[in-house]
Short mmCIF file of all heavy atoms in Angstrom, two decimals:
data_model
loop_
_atom_site.label_atom_id
_atom_site.label_comp_id
_atom_site.label_asym_id
_atom_site.label_seq_id
_atom_site.Cartn_x
_atom_site.Cartn_y
_atom_site.Cartn_z
N GLU F 28 0.82 -1.20 0.00
CA GLU F 28 0.00 0.00 0.00
C GLU F 28 0.86 1.26 0.00
O GLU F 28 0.59 2.22 -0.72
CB GLU F 28 -0.94 0.01 1.19
CG GLU F 28 -2.05 -1.04 1.12
CD GLU F 28 -3.01 -0.92 2.30
OE1 GLU F 28 -3.39 0.20 2.64
OE2 GLU F 28 -3.37 -1.97 2.87
N ALA F 29 1.91 1.27 0.82
CA ALA F 29 2.79 2.43 0.90
C ALA F 29 3.51 2.65 -0.43
O ALA F 29 3.65 3.79 -0.90
CB ALA F 29 3.79 2.26 2.03
N ALA F 30 3.96 1.56 -1.04
CA ALA F 30 4.67 1.67 -2.32
C ALA F 30 3.76 2.22 -3.41
O ALA F 30 4.16 3.06 -4.22
CB ALA F 30 5.24 0.31 -2.73
N VAL F 31 2.51 1.75 -3.46
CA VAL F 31 1.55 2.23 -4.47
C VAL F 31 1.19 3.69 -4.19
O VAL F 31 1.11 4.51 -5.11
CB VAL F 31 0.29 1.35 -4.49
CG1 VAL F 31 -0.81 2.00 -5.33
CG2 VAL F 31 0.62 -0.03 -5.04
N ALA F 32 0.99 4.04 -2.92
CA ALA F 32 0.68 5.42 -2.56
C ALA F 32 1.79 6.36 -3.00
O ALA F 32 1.53 7.43 -3.57
CB ALA F 32 0.46 5.54 -1.06
N GLY F 33 3.04 5.96 -2.78
CA GLY F 33 4.16 6.79 -3.19
C GLY F 33 4.27 6.90 -4.70
O GLY F 33 4.56 7.98 -5.23
N ALA F 34 4.02 5.81 -5.40
CA ALA F 34 4.10 5.81 -6.86
C ALA F 34 3.08 6.75 -7.49
O ALA F 34 3.36 7.41 -8.49
CB ALA F 34 3.92 4.40 -7.39
N LEU F 35 1.88 6.79 -6.91
CA LEU F 35 0.79 7.60 -7.48
C LEU F 35 0.68 8.98 -6.86
O LEU F 35 -0.14 9.79 -7.31
CB LEU F 35 -0.54 6.84 -7.32
CG LEU F 35 -0.60 5.45 -7.96
CD1 LEU F 35 -1.97 4.84 -7.78
CD2 LEU F 35 -0.24 5.51 -9.44
N GLY F 36 1.47 9.26 -5.81
CA GLY F 36 1.43 10.57 -5.17
C GLY F 36 0.15 10.83 -4.40
O GLY F 36 -0.28 11.98 -4.29
N ILE F 37 -0.45 9.77 -3.84
CA ILE F 37 -1.72 9.91 -3.12
C ILE F 37 -1.56 9.43 -1.67
O ILE F 37 -0.53 8.88 -1.30
CB ILE F 37 -2.84 9.09 -3.80
CG1 ILE F 37 -2.45 7.60 -3.84
CG2 ILE F 37 -3.10 9.64 -5.20
CD1 ILE F 37 -3.52 6.69 -4.43
N LYS F 38 -2.60 9.66 -0.89
CA LYS F 38 -2.66 9.14 0.48
C LYS F 38 -3.62 7.98 0.54
O LYS F 38 -4.74 8.06 0.01
CB LYS F 38 -3.11 10.23 1.47
CG LYS F 38 -2.07 11.24 1.85
CD LYS F 38 -2.62 12.21 2.89
CE LYS F 38 -1.58 13.25 3.29
NZ LYS F 38 -2.13 14.19 4.30
N LEU F 39 -3.20 6.92 1.21
CA LEU F 39 -4.08 5.80 1.49
C LEU F 39 -4.24 5.68 3.00
O LEU F 39 -3.44 6.22 3.76
CB LEU F 39 -3.52 4.51 0.91
CG LEU F 39 -3.37 4.46 -0.61
CD1 LEU F 39 -2.74 3.15 -1.06
CD2 LEU F 39 -4.71 4.66 -1.30
N GLY F 40 -5.25 4.96 3.44
CA GLY F 40 -5.54 4.87 4.87
C GLY F 40 -6.59 5.88 5.28
O GLY F 40 -7.12 6.64 4.47
N GLY F 41 -6.90 5.90 6.56
CA GLY F 41 -7.95 6.77 7.08
C GLY F 41 -9.00 5.95 7.81
O GLY F 41 -8.77 4.81 8.19
N THR F 42 -10.18 6.53 7.97
CA THR F 42 -11.24 5.88 8.75
C THR F 42 -12.05 4.92 7.89
O THR F 42 -12.57 5.29 6.84
CB THR F 42 -12.18 6.92 9.37
OG1 THR F 42 -11.43 7.82 10.19
CG2 THR F 42 -13.24 6.24 10.22
N ASN F 43 -12.14 3.68 8.35
CA ASN F 43 -13.01 2.68 7.73
C ASN F 43 -13.97 2.15 8.80
O ASN F 43 -13.66 2.21 10.00
CB ASN F 43 -12.19 1.50 7.18
CG ASN F 43 -11.18 1.93 6.14
OD1 ASN F 43 -11.43 2.84 5.35
ND2 ASN F 43 -10.03 1.28 6.13
N TYR F 44 -15.12 1.64 8.35
CA TYR F 44 -16.10 1.09 9.29
C TYR F 44 -16.20 -0.42 9.09
O TYR F 44 -16.36 -0.91 7.97
CB TYR F 44 -17.47 1.74 9.07
CG TYR F 44 -17.57 3.13 9.65
CD1 TYR F 44 -17.10 4.22 8.94
CD2 TYR F 44 -18.11 3.35 10.92
CE1 TYR F 44 -17.16 5.51 9.47
CE2 TYR F 44 -18.18 4.63 11.46
CZ TYR F 44 -17.71 5.69 10.73
OH TYR F 44 -17.77 6.96 11.26
N TYR F 45 -16.08 -1.14 10.20
CA TYR F 45 -16.22 -2.59 10.21
C TYR F 45 -17.25 -2.99 11.27
O TYR F 45 -17.09 -2.62 12.43
CB TYR F 45 -14.88 -3.27 10.53
CG TYR F 45 -13.77 -2.93 9.56
CD1 TYR F 45 -12.94 -1.84 9.78
CD2 TYR F 45 -13.54 -3.71 8.43
CE1 TYR F 45 -11.91 -1.54 8.90
CE2 TYR F 45 -12.52 -3.42 7.54
CZ TYR F 45 -11.71 -2.33 7.79
OH TYR F 45 -10.69 -2.03 6.92
N PHE F 46 -18.28 -3.70 10.84
CA PHE F 46 -19.32 -4.17 11.76
C PHE F 46 -19.91 -3.01 12.57
O PHE F 46 -20.18 -3.14 13.76
CB PHE F 46 -18.76 -5.24 12.69
CG PHE F 46 -18.05 -6.36 11.99
CD1 PHE F 46 -16.67 -6.47 12.03
CD2 PHE F 46 -18.77 -7.29 11.24
CE1 PHE F 46 -16.01 -7.50 11.38
CE2 PHE F 46 -18.12 -8.33 10.58
CZ PHE F 46 -16.74 -8.42 10.65
N GLY F 47 -20.05 -1.85 11.92
CA GLY F 47 -20.66 -0.69 12.56
C GLY F 47 -19.73 0.14 13.41
O GLY F 47 -20.15 1.16 13.97
N ARG F 48 -18.46 -0.25 13.49
CA ARG F 48 -17.51 0.48 14.33
C ARG F 48 -16.42 1.12 13.48
O ARG F 48 -15.89 0.49 12.56
CB ARG F 48 -16.86 -0.47 15.35
CG ARG F 48 -17.85 -1.07 16.34
CD ARG F 48 -17.13 -1.99 17.32
NE ARG F 48 -18.04 -2.56 18.31
CZ ARG F 48 -17.67 -3.40 19.27
NH1 ARG F 48 -16.39 -3.77 19.37
NH2 ARG F 48 -18.57 -3.87 20.11
N PRO F 49 -16.07 2.38 13.78
CA PRO F 49 -15.00 3.04 13.02
C PRO F 49 -13.63 2.51 13.43
O PRO F 49 -13.39 2.19 14.58
CB PRO F 49 -15.15 4.52 13.42
CG PRO F 49 -15.77 4.48 14.78
CD PRO F 49 -16.67 3.28 14.79
N GLU F 50 -12.75 2.40 12.45
CA GLU F 50 -11.38 1.98 12.70
C GLU F 50 -10.45 2.89 11.90
O GLU F 50 -10.57 3.00 10.69
CB GLU F 50 -11.18 0.53 12.29
CG GLU F 50 -9.79 -0.01 12.62
CD GLU F 50 -9.66 -1.49 12.33
OE1 GLU F 50 -10.64 -2.23 12.57
OE2 GLU F 50 -8.58 -1.91 11.87
N ASN F 51 -9.55 3.56 12.61
CA ASN F 51 -8.65 4.51 11.96
C ASN F 51 -7.38 3.82 11.51
O ASN F 51 -6.58 3.36 12.32
CB ASN F 51 -8.32 5.66 12.91
CG ASN F 51 -9.54 6.50 13.25
OD1 ASN F 51 -10.32 6.85 12.36
ND2 ASN F 51 -9.72 6.82 14.52
N LYS F 52 -7.20 3.75 10.20
CA LYS F 52 -6.00 3.16 9.63
C LYS F 52 -4.92 4.24 9.47
O LYS F 52 -5.23 5.40 9.18
CB LYS F 52 -6.32 2.56 8.25
CG LYS F 52 -7.33 1.43 8.28
CD LYS F 52 -6.73 0.16 8.85
CE LYS F 52 -7.70 -1.01 8.71
NZ LYS F 52 -7.13 -2.27 9.22
N PRO F 53 -3.66 3.89 9.66
CA PRO F 53 -2.58 4.86 9.49
C PRO F 53 -2.56 5.45 8.08
O PRO F 53 -2.91 4.77 7.11
CB PRO F 53 -1.31 4.04 9.76
CG PRO F 53 -1.78 2.86 10.53
CD PRO F 53 -3.16 2.57 10.06
N ILE F 54 -2.15 6.70 7.97
CA ILE F 54 -2.05 7.35 6.67
C ILE F 54 -0.74 6.94 6.01
O ILE F 54 0.34 7.06 6.59
CB ILE F 54 -2.11 8.88 6.82
CG1 ILE F 54 -3.46 9.29 7.44
CG2 ILE F 54 -1.92 9.56 5.46
CD1 ILE F 54 -4.67 8.94 6.61
N LEU F 55 -0.84 6.48 4.78
CA LEU F 55 0.33 6.09 4.00
C LEU F 55 0.46 7.02 2.80
O LEU F 55 -0.52 7.25 2.09
CB LEU F 55 0.19 4.65 3.52
CG LEU F 55 -0.16 3.59 4.58
CD1 LEU F 55 -0.37 2.24 3.92
CD2 LEU F 55 0.92 3.51 5.65
N GLY F 56 1.64 7.55 2.58
CA GLY F 56 1.84 8.45 1.45
C GLY F 56 1.75 9.91 1.86
O GLY F 56 1.49 10.24 3.01
N GLU F 57 1.96 10.79 0.88
CA GLU F 57 2.03 12.23 1.15
C GLU F 57 0.86 13.01 0.58
O GLU F 57 0.66 14.17 0.93
CB GLU F 57 3.35 12.79 0.60
CG GLU F 57 4.56 12.21 1.32
CD GLU F 57 5.88 12.66 0.73
OE1 GLU F 57 5.90 13.00 -0.48
OE2 GLU F 57 6.89 12.66 1.45
N GLY F 58 0.08 12.42 -0.30
CA GLY F 58 -1.11 13.09 -0.80
C GLY F 58 -0.84 14.32 -1.64
O GLY F 58 -1.53 15.33 -1.50
#
């Protein structure tokens, strides 16, 4: 994920919801 984020110049990660609960994933890349 980090390698793809860097290649495309985007940010990956952030808040996702699983089974109704939010889960904050680390931000990868510089956006």
Side-chain angles (χ1 to χ4, degrees):
E28 291 184 44
V31 169
L35 302 182
I37 59 177
K38 283 184 180 179
L39 297 177
T42 303
N43 301 324
Y44 283 83
Y45 301 90
F46 309 107
R48 296 180 179 180
E50 184 174 323
N51 295 315
K52 298 286 188 178
I54 299 298
L55 309 175
E57 295 176 335

